[in-house]
Structure formats: structure tokens, C-alpha cells
Amino acid sequence: MAKQIEPYKCAFSISNEILTSAASIAFKLGRLSLTHEHEADADDFALATKSTLALEGIEIKPSQMRGINKGDDVPSHPLASAVNRLYAKMPKIDPYDASFPQVFEAAIWPDGVPHRMSRRVASFPYPIPMHARIEPMMKGLYAFANGGKGRIHPLTLGCLFYFELLAIQPYSEYTGILARYLLKAFLGSYSPNLYCLPLERLMLVHKDEIDKAYASSVERADTAPFVTCMMALIDEGVTSLLRRAVKKEPEQSPLVTKMLGLMEEGRFYSATELCALLGLKSRLGLQKNYIKPGLEGKVLEMSNPVCPTDRTQRYRKK
């Protein structure tokens, strides 16, 4: 049986598939910039927070999600609050800055960082470096990034950072959160539109494919299979942003106009309150003729957009 190669010893190479994906992403981002300049908002950050924690096996309840979506601290889930605050700051983060991991640590573990001491981490099956090598390897990773600045494309560099951070495993928990965060930060440094990319959700949906690609890279001692998989995922995400941007906004119906005229500025209404306000007996009619077209027309917003079916969902006019 052949000896397993440690992931941090894998070679870095560029394949035709990676180049093709990079060209496709660049073309679609060009089209996206002509249609609409997306700016990441609270909804994007909340969705990223929910998905990146789900990848760690951590669930956020709808009641907690409401507070996170508003940018509030959620005492019952301090980790989610900390992650969401980091995402909100992402457009101001320099992913090439070697001091950022300390910023991450202070935000996630205010009571002390769980630095990895052993050569094992739960759920990561590959050989990882001993504790004494973590700091020099992290410095080497950032030296590689800054040495390749302007020469290595941020799309590729973000994927490599993700791969290598998992290989180094600097913490006994939550290394994946940092890896995904920096991957997205590198993407956003290339194009601000990519801060809106539903990357973490796509990684959650395609987790098995990503795991297989990582295993393939370890087996071949080459990062190319993993980077190829991630670039295809990013391409898929950019396609979804482009579709959302070019989708024709529906004309506002008279019923929606009537509802908006009766609603107070800044106030959230429950479905029951809206039915009473409009003199409706059926919530089905409210949903079909008022709420759905109002949300599609972007003149109505939810109190908890990340969980549209939340039973305590409320609505207000934008």
C-alpha cells in the first residue's frame, strides 16, 4: 500500500479546466458589471453565516437568525454573532494581510484560542503537521500569497488558501470557517460582486463533491483537481448572480400599491395584521396577490429573509 501524501506537500499546478473556468467567470463578471453592480448586504452576510456554520455541523434557529439578519448580538449564539460581524467587515479586509488570523481569533475565541497541539483533528482524515510547524507554515503561506500578488490570480489563490489552511489545521476547531472566509475575501478582492456570491451555500450543497476533489488532490499530490472543482463551483455561483441581475422585475400591481399605501413606514406586519389591514379573510390570497409580488418587486422585505417559511415571519415596505 502506497504511503499517503500529506495535503500540505501537494504541488500547485494549473490545468486547462482551471483556465477555462477562470475565463468563464471573468466573462460573466463582465456581463454582471454591465447590468448591475451588486453590493453585499445584511441578507448576503446572514446567509453566509448560516451556511458556513452548517458546514461545521452547527444549526442556527429561525429566532436566532432574525437577530443575526438585523446585525444584532444574539446572546444564545455568540459564535454566529461573531461570524456575522466578521462577514459584515469582509469588504474592508485585506486577505493578503498576515495579521488577519489574529483578528479572526480575537472575534471567534475571546476567551482563548484552541490552538491545535496534537496531529489529529476531528473529521479531517489526512496527516497534518505537528504543532511546532504551524506558525512557520502559516507565515510561508502568506509569503507565497504576497510573493505571487499580481502574478497568481485571486480566484486561484483563494482556492489554494482554502486547501492549504485545511491541510495545516491551525486550530482544533473551526479552521473551516477561516478557510471559507479567506477564500471569499480573495474572490471579493478580484471583484466586489463576489462578496454577494452564495459560496458557502453552494459548498454546503456540493460538500460531497468537494470532499472527493480534495481526496483526489491528496492522492495525486497535486492541488489541480480540488481547484478545478472549486472554480466550477464559483462559476456556478456567478451564473446565479447574473441570472438574478438580468431577471426582469415584474410591474407593480395595483393590489401591492394599495397594501403599501396602508402600511406605516418602518413597521413590520405579520400576515394576520396584513389580512386585517386589507380586509382579507384568506392568507392564501394575501400570499399570492400581495406578499409574493411585493417581494419579487423588491418593494417589500421580510424580517427573516434567510428563513422565508419562518412561522413568525413579518413584512414591511422598503
Side-chain angles (χ1 to χ4, degrees), residues 139-158:
K139 288 181 179 178
L141 183 58
Y142 273 98
F144 171 78
N146 284 284
K149 199 171 184 178
R151 295 186 298 110
I152 303 176
H153 199 288
L155 289 173
T156 307
L157 190 57

Side-chain angles (χ1 to χ4, degrees), residues 17-240:
E17 291 87 348
I18 293 172
L19 292 174
T20 300
S21 289
S24 175
I25 292 166
F27 174 75
K28 290 171 184 176
L29 285 173
R31 288 186 60 195
L32 189 62
S33 65
L34 293 174
T35 56
H36 183 63
E37 191 72 21
H38 288 267
E39 184 175 342
D41 56 22
D43 293 353
D44 295 310
F45 301 138
L47 177 60
T49 297
K50 180 180 181 180
S51 299
T52 200
L53 289 177
L55 283 161
E56 300 293 319
I58 301 169
E59 182 182 356
I60 303 178
K61 297 177 182 178
S63 58
Q64 295 168 330
M65 204 66 235
R66 284 194 295 274
I68 291 167
N69 184 256
K70 295 176 184 177
D72 298 337
D73 281 337
V74 181
S76 62
H77 209 320
L79 176 61
S81 298
V83 172
N84 194 60
R85 284 194 298 270
L86 282 172
Y87 269 104
K89 295 176 183 176
M90 182 178 284
K92 299 178 182 179
I93 293 295
D94 178 8
Y96 293 89
D97 184 356
S99 67
F100 176 73
Q102 285 74 50
V103 176
F104 176 83
E105 292 167 5
I108 302 299
W109 299 291
D111 299 325
V113 182
H115 290 296
R116 175 178 62 78
M117 302 302 292
S118 72
R119 297 197 67 180
R120 286 177 173 242
V121 168
S123 78
F124 193 74
Y126 305 106
I128 51 181
M130 63 182 67
H131 172 75
R133 295 186 62 191
I134 293 175
E135 185 176 350
M137 291 184 76
M138 290 291 288
K139 288 181 179 178
L141 183 58
Y142 273 98
F144 171 78
N146 284 284
K149 199 171 184 178
R151 295 186 298 110
I152 303 176
H153 199 288
L155 289 173
T156 307
L157 190 57
C159 296
L160 288 172
F161 239 78
Y162 180 84
F163 185 93
E164 291 298 331
L165 277 171
L166 291 188
I168 296 170
Q169 290 286 333
Y171 313 115
S172 57
E173 59 182 358
Y174 305 153
T175 293
I177 298 177
L178 174 62
R180 288 183 290 274
Y181 186 93
L182 283 173
L183 165 56
K184 196 167 193 176
F186 274 109
L187 300 184
S189 73
Y190 168 53
S191 170
N193 283 318
L194 294 179
Y195 289 126
C196 306
L197 195 73
L199 178 66
E200 297 80 3
R201 181 181 63 79
L202 287 170
M203 293 180 75
L204 184 61
V205 172
H206 297 282
K207 184 178 183 303
D208 290 344
E209 295 171 39
I210 295 171
D211 290 345
K212 288 178 182 177
Y214 200 98
S216 179
S217 280
V218 174
E219 182 181 354
R220 300 184 193 183
D222 188 342
T223 60
F226 178 78
V227 175
T228 299
C229 175
M230 293 304 299
M231 292 285 276
L233 209 66
I234 295 165
D235 193 10
E236 180 182 338
V238 175
T239 299
S240 70

